[in-house]
Amino acid sequence: CLPARETGDGMLAGLLIGVLSGTLYAAVPMLHQRHARLDNELRTWAQFVFALPVFLVTAPAADWSLTWQDFWLVLYLGLAVNLVGHYLWVQISTVLPLTTTSALGYLQLPASLAFNVALLGEEMNLGMLAGAACIIAGNVLALQSPRPTLPPEPPLNLGE
């Protein structure tokens, strides 16, 4: 199912980068909850300060054909809107349970589809609608299923 390595079109590298990126993104809520004692603003700036250099290093590989108006819009969206989004995500992923945070993460795709239809007038085909329905149904099932409770662990007795 993976693209052939010798094709030279970069699909395999792109796929691997996407899988790695998605895996790291999925781990972020666990890190936020583990380090909740740190200030939300500090964790937001840490995420942002890590992501910006990564973007700046990889940006030359993209094919940019922007007007000055596009450039300022991308700069605004990339810095101001992204910083606010990071801050809100840090707060949400710290406070809410991991199951709820996971469901919110998966709902990004159906929400994007809905905004594209509502705001941009794009047409949604049957495959998109079926995919969004599967994601929403999976989230409903995951959030409504009973959680198994683990028995409390006995205290560790190192003196005996």
Side-chain angles (χ1 to χ4, degrees):
C1 126
L2 291 176
R5 201 174 177 165
E6 57 273 351
T7 60
D9 61 2
M11 285 182 61
L12 179 61
L15 177 67
L16 294 175
I17 290 169
V19 168
L20 176 65
S21 175
T23 303
L24 294 175
Y25 180 73
V28 167
M30 293 181 283
L31 290 172
H32 285 309
Q33 290 192 3
R34 173 171 274 187
H35 300 289
R37 67 188 181 283
L38 298 174
D39 184 51
N40 282 348
E41 287 184 32
L42 176 67
R43 287 183 284 136
T44 300
W45 280 106
Q47 258 189 304
F48 196 72
V49 167
F50 171 78
L52 186 59
V54 170
F55 169 75
L56 292 176
V57 167
T58 58
D63 182 23
W64 299 96
S65 57
L66 301 173
T67 65
W68 277 106
Q69 183 180 0
D70 294 338
F71 172 77
W72 290 114
L73 182 62
V74 167
L75 192 65
Y76 169 72
L77 291 173
L79 296 177
V81 174
N82 202 2
L83 184 61
V84 171
H86 272 85
Y87 182 73
L88 292 174
W89 183 246
V90 167
Q91 287 191 326
I92 288 170
S93 62
T94 301
V95 175
L96 294 178
L98 287 175
T99 52
T100 306
T101 304
S102 299
L104 289 173
Y106 284 118
L107 287 176
Q108 290 177 5
L109 182 60
S112 297
L113 288 173
F115 278 116
N116 285 347
V117 169
L119 300 177
L120 302 177
E122 290 187 10
E123 293 186 24
M124 193 176 334
N125 63 33
L126 187 59
M128 293 173 166
L129 193 58
C134 286
I135 292 170
I136 293 168
N139 282 335
V140 169
L141 289 173
L143 291 174
Q144 289 186 349
S145 64
R147 304 276 169 261
T149 56
L150 298 174
E153 292 186 26
L156 201 59
N157 190 355
L158 299 175
E160 294 179 355

